[in-house]
């Protein structure tokens, strides 16, 4: 893979992966202005995702671990699928009914993350990744 392509993939992985991990940290630990597991669990219960606390834990762990793996380029296909599946859940349970545009609470942003996760899962993490070093 060329230097430019690997650099481009690194930028995409870092921005999306670290942002995704930060969303997980909001749910799990209340970091970055998040509400933590108890409040996130209550929100999940309120929108019919039950049991709320357990599902918030699962979602937070998926976002945190999946985002870190994606950023590092480690087990990248699995990390990309974790991101995609999490975004499908967000679209179906939260954003889908609001239409496409994120300015209206829609699924626009979730769809972009889903596409990036699947796209990188298909093409790989590039040369600047732990996958390239290990495998």
């Amino acid at each position: 893979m060329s230097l430019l392509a690997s650099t481009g993939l690194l930028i995409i992985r870092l921005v999306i992966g670290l942002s995704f991990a930060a969303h997980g940290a909001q749910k799990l630990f209340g970091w970055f202005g998040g509400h933590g597991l108890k409040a996130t669990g209550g929100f999940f219960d309120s929108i019919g995702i039950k049991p709320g606390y357990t599902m918030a834990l699962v979602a937070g762990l998926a976002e945190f671990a999946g985002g870190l793996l994606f950023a590092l380029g480690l087990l990248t296909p699995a990390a990309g699928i974790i991101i995609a599946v999490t975004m499908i859940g967000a679209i179906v349970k939260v954003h889908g009914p609001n239409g496409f545009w994120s300015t209206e609470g829609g699924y626009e942003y979730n769809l972009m993350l889903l596409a990036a996760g699947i796209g990188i899962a298909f093409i790989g993490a590039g040369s600047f990744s732990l996958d390239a070093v290990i495998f």
Side-chain angles (χ1 to χ4, degrees):
M1 182 170 287
S2 76
L3 175 65
L4 287 177
S6 288
T7 302
L9 288 169
L10 175 64
I11 292 167
I12 292 167
R13 285 192 355 261
L14 287 174
V15 170
I16 291 175
L18 293 176
S19 296
F20 217 75
H23 275 276
Q26 287 180 313
K27 289 176 181 67
L28 294 172
F29 315 119
W31 296 353
F32 311 115
H35 301 290
L37 276 175
K38 186 175 180 182
T40 304
F43 170 69
F44 277 24
D45 274 328
S46 77
I47 61 170
I49 301 174
K50 298 184 183 285
Y53 183 90
T54 301
M55 295 308 292
L57 177 63
V58 169
L61 288 172
E63 291 176 357
F64 190 70
L68 290 179
L69 290 171
F70 199 76
L72 293 169
L74 178 61
L75 305 174
T76 306
I81 298 305
I82 290 169
I83 287 172
V85 168
T86 304
M87 289 299 92
I88 289 169
I91 290 168
V92 169
K93 290 304 287 184
V94 180
H95 300 283
N98 300 324
F100 179 72
W101 300 110
S102 61
T103 53
E104 304 297 321
Y107 61 90
E108 172 189 12
Y109 179 66
N110 307 100
L111 183 61
M112 288 183 206
L113 291 173
L114 188 158
I118 290 174
I120 302 278
F122 283 162
I123 64 172
S127 301
F128 305 129
S129 67
L130 290 179
D131 283 347
V133 172
I134 296 169
F135 305 112

